[in-house]
């Protein structure tokens, strides 16, 4: 009798990866290539104890983004790979690289991460004018905001 791990039916292989603690590593890797995961077993097959960790660097240049993700899990992967994946065209690969602790924090486009006072710069590079907080120093036609005038409501008259 043939092992169910080599069954032609994908559903059989899927159920093995989700519920079998001794599922073989090659089966887990194969199911990872086509199964995005389930609600009943989140993370499977990638978080399975038998999922292969060594040798996953071979997927670093794979055209399939889902397989490129595996290269980050290889113990031999380094910070250079994480840095390269942080500029990957696929959003999921970039997200996983951004979450990796090996990624060194660097300021983008050569801009400082803080100002001389130790605060982060304001978006767009504008700063409030010290004498007119309603204006931005980069804008010359801003006007202060005034709340709308609401006329008082007439008081109810009592007529008996």
């Amino acid at each position: 009798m043939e092992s169910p791990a080599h069954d032609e039916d994908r559903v059989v292989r899927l159920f093995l990866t989700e519920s079998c603690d001794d599922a073989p590593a090659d089966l887990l890797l194969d199911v990872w290539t086509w199964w995005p995961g389930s609600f009943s077993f989140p993370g499977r097959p990638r978080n399975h104890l038998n999922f292969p960790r060594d040798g996953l660097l071979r997927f670093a240049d794979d055209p399939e983004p889902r397989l490129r993700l595996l290269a980050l899990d290889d113990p031999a992967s380094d910070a250079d790979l994480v840095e390269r994946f942080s500029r990957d065209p696929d959003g999921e690969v970039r997200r996983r690289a951004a979450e990796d602790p090996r990624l060194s924090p660097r300021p983008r486009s050569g801009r400082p991460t803080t100002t001389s006072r130790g605060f982060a710069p304001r978006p767009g590079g504008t700063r409030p004018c010290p004498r007119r907080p309603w204006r931005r120093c980069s804008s010359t036609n801003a006007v202060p905001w005034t709340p709308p005038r609401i006329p008082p409501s007439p008081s109810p008259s009592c007529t008996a």
Side-chain angles (χ1 to χ4, degrees):
M1 179 176 193
E2 189 176 327
S3 168
H6 301 289
D7 196 299
E8 292 294 320
D9 190 2
R10 282 185 165 190
V11 175
V12 171
R13 295 193 321 257
L14 174 63
F15 285 152
L16 281 174
T17 61
E18 288 185 338
S19 58
C20 188
D21 289 337
D22 59 346
D26 61 332
L27 170 70
L28 296 167
L29 186 59
D30 174 57
V31 171
W32 170 260
T33 62
W34 54 267
W35 180 247
S38 67
F39 294 116
S40 54
F41 293 94
R44 288 281 178 119
R46 204 173 122 247
N47 68 356
H48 194 285
L49 292 176
N50 293 345
F51 194 84
R53 301 284 177 228
D54 295 326
L56 297 176
L57 277 177
R58 70 181 184 265
F59 298 117
D61 296 316
D62 196 281
E64 180 62 39
R66 187 164 170 77
L67 291 176
R68 282 197 305 274
L69 288 173
L70 294 177
L72 292 172
D73 294 336
D74 192 304
S77 64
D78 58 2
D80 291 335
L81 178 70
V82 178
E83 180 70 30
R84 189 178 100 196
F85 279 6
S86 71
R87 295 181 305 274
D88 194 88
D90 184 72
E92 184 65 20
V93 175
R94 286 192 312 271
R95 185 189 65 78
R96 282 275 313 279
E99 292 173 348
D100 196 298
R102 296 172 288 186
L103 184 65
S104 61
R106 292 186 191 160
R108 293 193 291 175
S109 68
R111 294 185 350 198
T113 54
T114 59
T115 63
S116 59
R117 294 182 186 165
F119 299 104
R122 296 178 75 83
T126 61
R127 58 185 174 81
C129 289
R131 293 189 192 127
R132 298 182 197 122
W134 61 85
R135 291 188 181 210
R136 299 269 181 217
C137 288
S138 61
S139 174
T140 58
N141 57 1
V143 293
W145 180 83
T146 55
R149 292 193 83 200
I150 301 173
S153 58
S155 30
S157 60
C158 295
T159 55

